[in-house]
DNA sequence: TTAGGGTTAG
């Protein structure tokens, strides 16, 4: 085989590998009468690019000759396929390292959150280039040390657009939107990565309009900026906008990836669109995108929120490499469905598998206790979380606890916890007390709490409505009128509550006192039947609202 | 042959 023939074959093997056609690449490689080191490197890379790291390792071991690129490729393969320790192993054994080897290992460690090791190697590097500095800026920012990242960024001997984008996104990730804007305005040549980071920043600030206007200004939109805009809509509660954008994106011929589908599935779960969620699930199976763990996690939540806990469990059972989020998602699903026993068994199962629970795991457990009125258990978990797992309770954990105590009628104890908590009492915690005051006719305490709430936020209607309900429950009608007057005077508006359900592609929307639905008679009689059923099972519905 | 933007859980 001529040197030129070998050269062309090598190129072809590389492009087949990148295109996901490992078998074709392998055939081409096997049929080559003569091969050089580049051919071996190309086929080695093709294997790990198609999730066959073991194949790459076998090739690496049987190679007649290895150069630095071979070592760099096997290291990259380990890092791409979640094997950072094996990457470190190869790195240690390498006879000759170049800047790319060092950069690969530093950025790889950053990717797996191993910041200290990354920094140690960055310091030990014999020579650094723009890539090394940018990787470290990214690492420091991800670690939450934005000031140090910024310091390194300012001291970098040379910057390019990638470095700027990394710094801007670091600011956005840590909520420093003002600084992100400042840098973006001074960035010499704005690339799409930086623009996308700004879109995300504006969305995180809640300013979707500004984000959308930047998005609209992008001439050549790539998949990632579409994804960023869609995710931004979803996080701000504009699921319909996200879905509209999804259709627009497909109309441009852009093919969705797993991140796109995550946004779509999350939008479907927020809107309760089971059919849309199922369609996306089917699409993910067809396109092999279901292999992505995060997408599976989103599907667990979607099915659970749409009432199909069995499907959530099915997805969970079939995930190959479950992460902490998968466990949290399924525990939350069981918690929302009132299945305390399953929550317990899942928790012990995850511990057996060596998965360490985090604050969100405990939030689900605490709220599961609340759903089935297990007061003692709730307090035990709360203490266990602090003592054994060293997790400091957040305001939300307190809210769970307070809510639970209130439902069980332990108002004094609930107030004690509220006073004890090291945070400004969140509206939700006091709201729970207020709701309990109405149930238990504690007018005095209710007044106290409501006044506190109204003082902190006079424009939200919740506290007024609750207080007036407390008065109404106690028959104090004069006070009811007074509170309603005060509410009007302070300009607090009550948001009308809507609920909706999707049946066979049609969404049916309802609001209070709304009788416009064509089947309203049937609906009301079904509601009556369910209400009767609930009473039979002693879920007493309090109708004094 | 190394660096950047989007991704899940309450």
């Amino acid at each position: 085989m001529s040197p030129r023939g070998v050269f062309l074959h090598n190129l072809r093997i590389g492009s087949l590998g990148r295109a996901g056609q490992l078998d074709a690449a392998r055939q081409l490689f096997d049929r080559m009468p003569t091969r050089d080191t580049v051919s071996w490197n190309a086929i080695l890379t093709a294997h790990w690019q198609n999730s066959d790291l073991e194949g790459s390792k076998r090739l690496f071991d049987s190679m007649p000759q290895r150069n630095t690129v071979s070592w760099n490729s096997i290291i990259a393969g380990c890092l791409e396929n979640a094997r950072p320790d094996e990457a470190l192993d190869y790195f240690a054994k390498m006879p000759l390292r170049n800047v790319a080897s060092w950069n690969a290992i530093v950025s790889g460690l950053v990717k797996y959150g191993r910041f200290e090791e990354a920094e140690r190697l960055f310091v030990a590097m014999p020579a650094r280039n723009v890539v090394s500095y940018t990787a470290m800026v990214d690492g420091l920012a991800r670690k939450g040390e934005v000031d140090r990242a910024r310091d390194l960024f300012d001291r970098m001997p040379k910057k390019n657009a990638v470095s700027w984008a990394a710094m801007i996104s670091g600011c956005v990730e840590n909520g420093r939107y003002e600084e992100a804007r400042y840098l973006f305005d001074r960035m010499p040549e704005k690339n799409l990565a930086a623009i996308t980071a700004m879109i995300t920043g504006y969305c995180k600030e809640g300013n979707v309009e500004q984000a959308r206007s930047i998005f609209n200004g992008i001439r050549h939109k790539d998949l990632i900026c579409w994804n960023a805009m869609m995710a931004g809509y979803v996080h701000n509660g504009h699921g319909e906008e996200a879905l509209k954008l999804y259709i627009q994106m497909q109309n441009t011929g852009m093919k969705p990836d797993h991140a796109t589908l995550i946004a779509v599935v999350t939008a479907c779960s927020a809107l309760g669109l089971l059919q849309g969620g199922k369609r996306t699930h089917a699409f993910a199976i067809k396109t092999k995108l279901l292999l992505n763990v995060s997408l599976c996690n989103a599907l667990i939540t979607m099915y659970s929120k749409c009432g199909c806990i069995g499907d959530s469990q099915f997805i969970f059972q079939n995930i190959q490499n479950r992460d902490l989020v998968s466990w949290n998602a399924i525990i939350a699903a069981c918690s929302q469905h009132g299945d305390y026993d399953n929550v317990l068994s899942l928790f012990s199962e995850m511990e057996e598998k060596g998965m360490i629970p985090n604050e969100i795991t405990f939030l689900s457990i605490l709220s599961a206790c609340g759903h089935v009125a297990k007061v003692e258990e709730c307090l035990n978990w709360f203490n266990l979380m602090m003592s054994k797992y060293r997790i400091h309770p957040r305001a939300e954990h307190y809210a769970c606890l307070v809510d639970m105590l209130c439902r069980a009628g332990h108002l004094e104890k609930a107030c004690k916890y509220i006073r004890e908590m090291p945070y400004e009492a969140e509206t939700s915690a006091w709201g729970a007390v207020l709701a309990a005051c109405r149930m238990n006719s504690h007018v005095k305490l209710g007044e106290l709490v409501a006044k506190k709430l109204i003082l902190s936020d006079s424009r939200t209607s919740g506290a007024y409505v609750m207080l007036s309900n407390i008065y109404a429950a106690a028959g104090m009608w004069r006070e009811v009128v007074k509170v309603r007057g005060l509410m009007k005077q302070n300009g607090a508006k009550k948001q009308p509550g809507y609920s909706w359900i999707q049946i066979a592609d049609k969404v049916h929307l309802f609001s209070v006192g709304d009788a416009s639905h064509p089947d309203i008679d049937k609906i009301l009689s079904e509601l009556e039947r369910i209400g009767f059923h609930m009473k039979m099972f002693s879920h007493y519905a309090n109708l004094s609202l």
Side-chain angles (χ1 to χ4, degrees):
Chain A
M1 206 174 191
S2 69
R4 176 151 177 85
V6 174
F7 176 80
L8 289 174
H9 271 71
N10 294 347
L11 280 183
R12 185 83 188 118
I13 291 171
S15 65
L16 283 170
R18 279 188 296 277
Q21 301 182 33
L22 177 59
D23 291 336
R26 192 62 210 230
Q27 268 179 20
L28 203 61
F29 176 80
D30 288 340
R31 279 202 225 112
M32 284 172 81
T34 43
R35 307 176 184 116
D36 60 9
T37 311
V38 180
S39 329
W40 284 89
N41 289 346
I43 193 65
L44 177 127
T45 307
H47 272 269
W48 66 253
Q49 278 175 339
N50 291 280
S51 315
D52 182 20
L53 180 61
E54 293 309 313
S56 294
K57 287 203 265 186
R58 274 194 301 274
L59 283 163
F60 185 80
D61 289 336
S62 59
M63 278 175 85
Q65 263 188 336
R66 294 180 202 107
N67 59 16
T68 307
V69 176
S70 329
W71 286 91
N72 286 351
S73 171
I74 195 73
I75 288 172
C78 293
L79 292 169
E80 273 298 310
N81 289 281
R83 291 280 188 297
D85 287 310
E86 288 175 29
L88 277 169
D89 234 38
Y90 281 111
F91 182 76
K93 287 187 198 133
M94 264 180 103
L96 198 70
R97 304 179 187 109
N98 62 13
V99 197
S101 333
W102 285 93
N103 288 346
I105 204 80
V106 167
S107 64
L109 288 169
V110 165
K111 184 178 159 192
Y112 291 100
R114 293 162 63 159
F115 306 113
E116 277 80 12
E117 289 164 272
E119 201 174 349
R120 226 175 296 137
L121 285 169
F122 175 77
V123 173
M125 279 178 82
R128 297 177 197 96
N129 61 12
V130 199
V131 179
S132 337
Y133 280 99
T134 306
M136 202 58 237
V137 165
D138 178 44
L140 287 170
R142 274 178 211 267
K143 199 181 165 195
E145 299 196 28
V146 196
D147 290 324
R148 287 189 59 209
R150 179 65 196 276
D151 193 49
L152 190 64
F153 176 77
D154 289 338
R155 285 190 291 116
M156 278 173 75
K158 238 174 132 183
K159 298 181 192 51
N160 60 19
V162 179
S163 331
W164 281 88
M167 191 63 240
I168 290 170
S169 123
C171 290
V172 166
E173 212 154 279
N174 290 282
R176 290 163 66 152
Y177 308 116
E178 205 46 59
E179 194 173 346
R181 254 190 300 274
Y182 174 89
L183 288 165
F184 186 70
D185 290 342
R186 277 156 192 77
M187 187 173 175
E189 273 174 49
K190 299 170 178 51
N191 61 1
L192 197 43
I195 295 170
T196 307
M198 291 308 290
I199 289 178
T200 302
Y202 279 114
C203 288
K204 283 192 175 169
E205 274 184 310
N207 193 348
V208 267
E209 291 78 19
Q210 184 64 33
R212 182 61 191 258
S213 108
I214 296 177
F215 176 79
N216 287 343
I218 303 173
R219 212 169 295 158
H220 300 291
K221 299 182 179 68
D222 68 356
L223 181 59
I224 298 181
C225 74
W226 281 99
N227 289 348
M229 193 63 236
M230 284 173 55
Y233 274 131
V234 173
H235 289 144
N236 284 284
H238 303 299
E240 332 76 49
E241 288 301 322
L243 295 180
K244 268 191 216 158
L245 214 57
Y246 178 52
I247 295 167
Q248 273 184 39
M249 186 190 101
Q250 285 176 312
N251 287 342
T252 68
M254 184 75 73
K255 292 269 168 285
D257 72 350
H258 59 278
T260 324
L261 298 195
I262 287 169
V264 173
V265 168
T266 313
C268 289
S269 49
L271 298 167
L273 301 177
L274 179 59
Q275 303 304 324
K278 275 188 177 171
R279 258 202 300 274
T280 317
H281 181 185
F283 180 78
I285 294 172
K286 220 163 59 190
T287 49
K288 296 204 172 127
L289 291 171
L290 199 66
L291 290 168
N292 180 271
V293 193
S294 301
L295 179 54
C296 291
N297 297 343
L299 281 168
I300 291 176
T301 305
M302 187 279 293
Y303 278 120
S304 160
K305 293 229 166 114
C306 291
C308 310
I309 183 78
D311 295 283
S312 300
Q313 268 152 351
F314 180 79
I315 302 261
F316 178 76
Q317 293 304 334
N318 287 294
I319 300 178
Q320 295 301 315
N321 41 344
R322 294 174 196 144
D323 61 8
L324 178 58
V325 178
S326 320
W327 288 93
N328 284 350
I330 192 69
I331 288 177
C334 292
S335 163
Q336 281 152 7
H337 285 259
D339 191 350
Y340 183 68
D341 293 335
N342 230 335
V343 168
L344 285 192
S345 63
L346 281 165
F347 183 80
S348 44
E349 199 187 328
M350 84 182 270
E351 286 228 288
E352 276 164 28
K353 299 242 158 79
M355 196 59 82
I356 298 166
N358 68 356
E359 69 270 18
I360 289 167
T361 320
F362 283 101
L363 209 49
S364 298
I365 295 176
L366 293 178
S367 87
C369 294
H371 287 141
V372 287
K374 297 205 181 276
V375 183
E376 280 304 311
E377 283 85 344
C378 193
L379 290 168
N380 286 342
W381 280 110
F382 192 78
N383 292 328
L384 193 74
M385 172 176 94
M386 294 192 285
S387 58
K388 185 174 170 195
Y389 298 91
R390 304 268 159 227
I391 294 171
H392 292 293
R394 297 201 314 223
E396 290 99 320
H397 295 99
Y398 277 102
C400 261
L401 195 65
V402 167
D403 184 53
M404 136 110 278
L405 288 168
C406 289
R407 280 168 199 263
H410 302 300
L411 291 194
E412 294 303 327
K413 221 173 186 174
C415 291
K416 189 185 124 246
Y417 273 105
I418 292 186
R419 275 191 294 270
E420 253 177 34
M421 61 195 248
Y423 309 92
E424 193 60 32
E426 287 222 349
T427 318
S428 59
W430 285 108
V433 179
L434 263 185
C437 288
R438 184 177 57 78
M439 295 279 288
N440 301 294
S441 305
H442 278 71
V443 179
K444 279 273 164 265
L445 187 61
E447 278 179 335
L448 214 78
V449 174
K451 276 179 191 153
K452 212 176 149 78
L453 272 175
I454 291 169
L455 272 178
S456 76
D457 179 9
S458 65
R459 299 186 64 85
T460 307
S461 62
Y464 298 97
V465 176
M466 296 259 220
L467 184 58
S468 102
N469 286 344
I470 290 172
Y471 286 139
M476 299 161 71
W477 301 107
R478 250 170 242 246
E479 276 73 14
V480 171
V481 176
K482 247 195 243 166
V483 174
R484 297 278 171 180
L486 192 68
M487 185 172 161
K488 221 172 180 177
Q489 193 186 316
N490 288 346
K493 284 222 172 65
K494 193 173 188 290
Q495 286 270 336
Y498 288 106
S499 68
W500 60 90
I501 186 172
Q502 182 189 19
I503 299 166
D505 275 357
K506 192 166 171 13
V507 176
H508 304 260
L509 181 79
F510 303 93
S511 71
V512 185
D514 172 16
S516 61
H517 195 279
D519 287 325
I520 190 69
D521 291 335
K522 279 190 199 160
I523 293 168
L524 288 176
S525 76
E526 177 62 11
L527 276 176
E528 210 167 296
R529 196 188 65 78
I530 295 172
F532 178 72
H533 213 69
M534 282 164 74
K535 274 189 198 166
M536 292 284 288
F537 285 89
S538 78
H539 280 90
Y540 183 68
N542 188 333
L543 298 175
S544 62
L545 280 159

